[in-house]
């Protein structure tokens, strides 16, 4: 039982990160039908920004002030790079078709990875775990679950996922801007005719998605490493999570992310060799898509010929 | 992790190694100016991408050795120039880099790629082009097996895995391995460790795997902890390795950690928290080694860079030494291939090297990570002869 709990909690923690990243994927897809493959790089940029903030803060800063500031910086940088990418790379080709946009997204992804590799000399950055009471040390502290230690900061992943998903739910369903987003997602041309500033909605959607990715990257890097390629795998997993939940559906992205994390983890508990834990998750994905091609919470869209 | 490639299909007369920085006025083309034709040596290293840090370290070592050789008069008066290609640590880009260096640049030999996966990929091109490849760090056994044009400066996985297993089995009879399943290096090392450990009377109680770029190793480490292993062999490298070591501490895994040459760098030794203490690893060289080859390399490197060189710098330096030694036999790729195969008892930084079937036969060093003056460092434990 204790083992089961450990695997379940581990899965929920990493699943929360997938959920935060997947929400950004799904928001952007919902608005402009773009699979933004550069989304993982917003996560990476967030991690770098928080590391930069950490380096700039005087070493006497209390970690309880420093960590929120770093998360804020990571989120802001994720939003900024997403906004910049939208303005520079996606907006000029918005009418050029989805293939052009997809290829541009892959190009942006490579560009950001290599820019950061160039400037960081590709050396992975880590928060020093000494002295006692420093940011790095606090983020390695553990809590015992039976006899197994779990890093405390991972519970913040779940907290962040709950907090930001609740805020997003409020934003999308209870505000004027949310209504505009839903309108653009249903029919951008009709929304324009209704007086909605579609460009602004798209821009703000990127800002929100990028911000969530930046927060996720910061949280992971706090107990991990910051390096240029760090966004690739979470980006891929989040994309899978978004598809699993039904791409374009926000609640679906959250459910998909959590499910993906939990399935991977519980597969190991159930005896699947660790080398095959991703395979287990992908088998479930394929099964879901065979039975419900629109994803768990996705809606069927009929295309009339 | 490191590999050496040689390819040769070039006109025999053209063997030019050029070192751009140290040879003002020396044309990089093979203009047959009588007397001082530059000899070209190709370099294929990851200078961008995830492995760029290793590629750059290796290149520093190679550059230092070639500069020294040119200052000392080059090869019979001809300077050596380097033609550097970035293979991004990628197997396909590595083949393209090799084909360009061997086919259009007409180099005498190619140093690199450094990863086992990329070096394995370049074997077929090397057999066709016949320009020898010297990999500084590709340890996978198959890199040189049955391929006359592939050489390596590092020892192979069988040797490394065997050595660490023979030490580990004395401490505990039950071991686990944690393998990077995207890396031929990691898989090859784990295999040789498993064979040697079980042959020595130990048993392997868990074999867990992770993917490159994973950030969460909790479930793998939990399995290892539950298996009761007293030894955990982790043939990985950064950026995953420091995370694995920190998370091993977090979950409460107290088994002795062991590693291979991928551990011997600052990111691991001083970036993994205090759980690295007392870990055993196989190293290519030790700065405590008093042999003149080691001490003069350390002095020259520190004079140029003001930092202490690591495994990659040392193996890059030695790879250049091997190529230079072979170039004294003649400067065509065929000459260099024969020259490399004929190397006997070459005093190098990483040991006294004799080439046998493309493998550098030399001794390995067991290192232990200990804390001195508030910092972790490797401490020499023993030398194991091949």
């Amino acid at each position: 039982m204790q083992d089961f709990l450990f695997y379940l909690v581990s899965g929920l923690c990493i699943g929360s990160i997938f959920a935060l990243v997947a929400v950004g994927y799904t928001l952007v897809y919902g608005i402009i039908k773009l699979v933004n493959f550069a989304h993982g790089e917003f996560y990476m940029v967030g991690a770098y920004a928080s590391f930069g903030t950490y380096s700039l803060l005087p070493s006497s800063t209390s970690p309880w002030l420093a960590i929120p500031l770093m998360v804020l910086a990571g989120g802001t940088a994720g939003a900024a790079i997403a906004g910049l990418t939208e303005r520079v790379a996606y907006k000029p080709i918005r009418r050029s078709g989805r293939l052009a946009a997809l290829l541009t997204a892959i190009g942006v992804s490579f560009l950001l990875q290599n820019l950061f590799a160039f400037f960081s000399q590709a050396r992975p950055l880590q928060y020093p775990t000494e002295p006692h009471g420093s940011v790095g040390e606090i983020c390695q502290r553990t809590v015992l679950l039976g006899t197994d230690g779990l890093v405390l900061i991972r519970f913040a992943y779940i907290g962040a996922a709950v907090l930001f998903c609740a805020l997003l739910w409020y934003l999308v369903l209870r505000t004027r801007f949310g209504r505009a987003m839903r309108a653009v997602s249903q029919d951008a041309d009709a929304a324009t005719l209704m007086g909605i500033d579609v460009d602004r909605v798209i821009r703000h959607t990127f800002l929100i998605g990028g911000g969530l990715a930046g927060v996720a990257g910061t949280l992971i890097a706090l107990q991990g490493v910051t390096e240029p390629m760090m966004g690739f795998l979470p980006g891929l997993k989040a994309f899978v999570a978004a598809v699993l939940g039904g791409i374009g559906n926000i609640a679906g992205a959250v459910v998909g992310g959590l499910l993906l994390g939990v399935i991977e983890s519980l597969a190991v508990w159930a005896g699947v060799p660790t080398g095959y834990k991703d395979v287990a998750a992908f088998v479930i994905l394929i099964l879901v898509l065979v039975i419900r091609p629109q994803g768990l919470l996705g809606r069927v869209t009929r295309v009339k010929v | 992790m490191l590999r050496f490639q040689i390819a040769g299909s070039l006109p025999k007369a053209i063997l030019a190694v050029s070192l751009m920085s140290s040879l003002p006025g020396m044309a990089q083309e093979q203009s047959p100016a009588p007397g001082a034709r530059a000899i070209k040596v190709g370099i294929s290293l990851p200078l961008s991408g995830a492995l760029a840090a290793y590629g750059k370290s290796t290149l520093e070592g190679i550059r230092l050795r070639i500069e020294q050789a040119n200052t000392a008069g080059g090869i019979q008066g001809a300077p050596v120039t380097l033609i550097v290609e970035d293979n991004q640590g990628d197997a396909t880009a590595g083949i393209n880099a090799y084909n360009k260096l061997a086919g259009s640049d007409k180099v005498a030999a190619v140093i690199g790629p450094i990863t086992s996966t990329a070096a394995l990929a370049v074997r077929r091109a090397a057999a066709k082009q016949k320009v020898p490849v010297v990999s500084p760090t590709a340890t996978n056994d198959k890199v040189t097996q049955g391929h006359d044009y592939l050489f390596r400066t590092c020892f192979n996985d069988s040797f490394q895995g065997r050595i660490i297993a023979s030490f580990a089995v004395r401490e505990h009879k039950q071991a686990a391995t944690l393998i990077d399943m995207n890396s031929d290096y990691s898989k090859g090392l784990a295999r040789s460790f498993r064979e040697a450990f079980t042959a020595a009377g130990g048993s392997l109680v868990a074999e867990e795997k992770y993917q490159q770029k994973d950030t969460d190793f909790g479930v793998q480490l939990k399995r290892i902890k539950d298996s009761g292993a007293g030894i955990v062999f982790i043939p990985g490298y950064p950026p995953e390795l420091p995370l694995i070591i920190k998370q091993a501490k977090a979950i409460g895994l107290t088994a002795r950690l062991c590693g291979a040459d991928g551990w011997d760098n600052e990111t691991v030794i001083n970036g993994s928290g205090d759980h690295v203490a007392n870990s055993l690893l196989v190293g290519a060289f030790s700065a405590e080694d008093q042999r003149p080859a080691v001490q003069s390399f350390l002095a020259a490197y520190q004079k140029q860079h003001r930092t202490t060189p690591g495994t990659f710098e040392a193996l890059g330096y030695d790879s250049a030494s091997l190529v230079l030694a072979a170039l004294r036999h003649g400067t065509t790729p065929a000459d260099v291939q024969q020259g490399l195969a004929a190397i006997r008892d070459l005093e190098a930084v990483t040991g006294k090297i004799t080439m046998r079937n493309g493998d550098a036969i030399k001794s390995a060093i067991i290192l232990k990570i200990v804390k001195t003056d508030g910092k972790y460092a490797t401490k020499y434990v023993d030398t194991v002869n091949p």
Side-chain angles (χ1 to χ4, degrees), chain B residues 90-130:
Chain B
D90 178 71
T92 311
I95 295 170
N96 294 340
Y98 174 82
N99 282 331
K100 176 195 172 272
L101 291 166
S104 65
D105 292 325
K106 313 278 184 203
V107 297
V110 176
I111 300 180
I114 57 171
T115 65
S116 290
T117 304
L120 289 168
V122 87
R123 291 177 301 175
R124 192 181 291 176
K128 213 185 277 175
Q129 302 262 22
K130 299 194 189 306

Side-chain angles (χ1 to χ4, degrees), chain B residues 6-19:
Chain B
I6 300 184
S9 71
L10 311 184
K12 303 210 170 185
I14 307 161
L15 185 49
V17 179
S18 54
L19 184 62

Side-chain angles (χ1 to χ4, degrees), chain B residues 12 67 77 79 103 114 128 133 136 142 163 165 197 199 201 230-232 260 269 279 284 292 329 342 349:
Chain B
K12 303 210 170 185
E67 280 171 30
I114 57 171
K128 213 185 277 175
V133 172
K142 291 185 187 138
I163 289 170
F197 195 82
I231 296 285
V232 188
I269 293 172
S279 296
H329 283 248
V349 176

Side-chain angles (χ1 to χ4, degrees), chain B residues 222-246:
Chain B
K222 162 83 175 149
R223 275 238 179 127
I224 289 174
K225 189 184 164 193
D226 292 348
S227 74
I231 296 285
V232 188
F233 179 57
I234 314 174
Y237 41 88
E240 297 87 9
L241 194 46
L243 292 183
I244 292 172
I245 298 170
K246 283 186 200 168

Side-chain angles (χ1 to χ4, degrees), chain B residues 1-293:
Chain B
M1 194 174 347
L2 316 179
R3 299 166 187 193
F4 183 101
Q5 294 177 324
I6 300 184
S9 71
L10 311 184
K12 303 210 170 185
I14 307 161
L15 185 49
V17 179
S18 54
L19 184 62
M20 305 152 200
S21 56
S22 66
L23 300 176
M26 187 51 68
Q28 251 182 261
E29 279 71 41
Q30 63 276 24
S31 51
R37 267 183 309 193
I39 299 169
K40 289 193 281 191
V41 168
I43 305 290
S44 167
L45 294 173
L47 300 173
S48 64
L51 301 174
Y54 302 122
K56 286 172 184 170
S57 295
T58 308
L59 186 56
E60 294 298 348
I62 298 170
R63 282 225 162 101
L64 175 62
R65 183 67 189 93
I66 300 293
E67 280 171 30
Q68 288 176 341
N70 282 333
T71 312
I75 302 296
Q76 279 116 39
V80 176
T81 28
L82 297 178
I83 299 179
V84 180
E85 287 294 319
D86 175 10
N87 67 29
Q88 299 154 36
D90 178 71
T92 311
I95 295 170
N96 294 340
Y98 174 82
N99 282 331
K100 176 195 172 272
L101 291 166
S104 65
D105 292 325
K106 313 278 184 203
V107 297
V110 176
I111 300 180
I114 57 171
T115 65
S116 290
T117 304
L120 289 168
V122 87
R123 291 177 301 175
R124 192 181 291 176
K128 213 185 277 175
Q129 302 262 22
K130 299 194 189 306
V131 173
V133 172
V134 180
S135 174
T137 60
T139 52
N140 189 285
D141 288 4
K142 291 185 187 138
V143 168
T144 55
Q145 276 169 13
H147 287 270
D148 294 343
Y149 285 87
L150 275 118
F151 297 86
R152 70 173 125 223
T153 318
C154 53
F155 28 66
N156 63 19
D157 286 341
S158 299
F159 182 53
Q160 265 200 100
R162 206 162 60 228
I163 289 170
I164 200 77
S166 69
F167 263 75
V169 79
R170 289 182 214 161
E171 303 214 354
H172 204 284
K173 294 287 178 218
Q174 292 185 313
T177 52
L178 182 52
I179 309 164
D180 173 350
M181 61 180 174
N182 305 120
S183 154
D184 291 319
Y185 162 79
S186 195
K187 287 188 284 191
L189 267 173
R191 191 180 311 118
S192 61
F193 176 88
R194 181 180 59 223
E195 287 165 6
F197 195 82
T198 49
S203 62
L204 199 73
V205 291
E207 187 164 73
E208 303 304 327
K209 293 175 182 160
Y210 63 91
Q211 276 200 72
Q212 256 162 41
K213 303 293 166 204
D214 265 347
T215 53
D216 180 11
F217 308 91
V219 295
Q220 288 93 339
L221 292 165
K222 162 83 175 149
R223 275 238 179 127
I224 289 174
K225 189 184 164 193
D226 292 348
S227 74
I231 296 285
V232 188
F233 179 57
I234 314 174
Y237 41 88
E240 297 87 9
L241 194 46
L243 292 183
I244 292 172
I245 298 170
K246 283 186 200 168
Q247 291 177 17
K249 180 187 176 184
I251 196 172
L253 181 69
T254 50
R256 165 84 69 124
L257 308 181
C258 301
D261 52 356
W263 284 55
D264 197 3
N265 56 71
E266 271 300 291
T267 308
V268 176
I269 293 172
N270 277 303
S272 310
D274 53 11
H275 213 53
V276 286
N278 297 321
S279 296
L280 289 175
L281 58 117
V282 184
F285 87 109
S286 163
E288 294 168 60
D289 190 339
Q290 294 304 316
R291 288 188 305 126

Side-chain angles (χ1 to χ4, degrees), chain A residues 141-217:
Chain A
R141 286 189 191 169
T142 54
V143 59
L144 277 182
L145 193 73
T147 53
D148 302 318
L150 262 172
V151 181
L152 265 172
I153 187 88
R154 303 177 126 214
F155 292 97
Y157 303 173
I158 303 179
V162 170
L163 173 70
F164 286 107
C165 293
L167 284 177
L168 198 63
W169 173 83
Y170 180 80
L171 179 83
V172 172
L173 293 180
R174 292 282 182 274
T175 63
R176 268 179 77 83
F177 176 72
R179 198 152 22 137
M181 274 175 89
R182 284 179 286 143
V184 173
S185 136
Q186 278 168 18
D187 190 329
D189 292 331
T192 313
L193 294 175
M194 295 300 118
I196 294 172
D197 183 349
V198 173
D199 276 346
R200 181 169 158 270
V201 170
I202 292 173
R203 193 165 62 239
H204 287 186
T205 304
F206 269 90
L207 292 180
I208 295 165
L212 294 179
V215 168

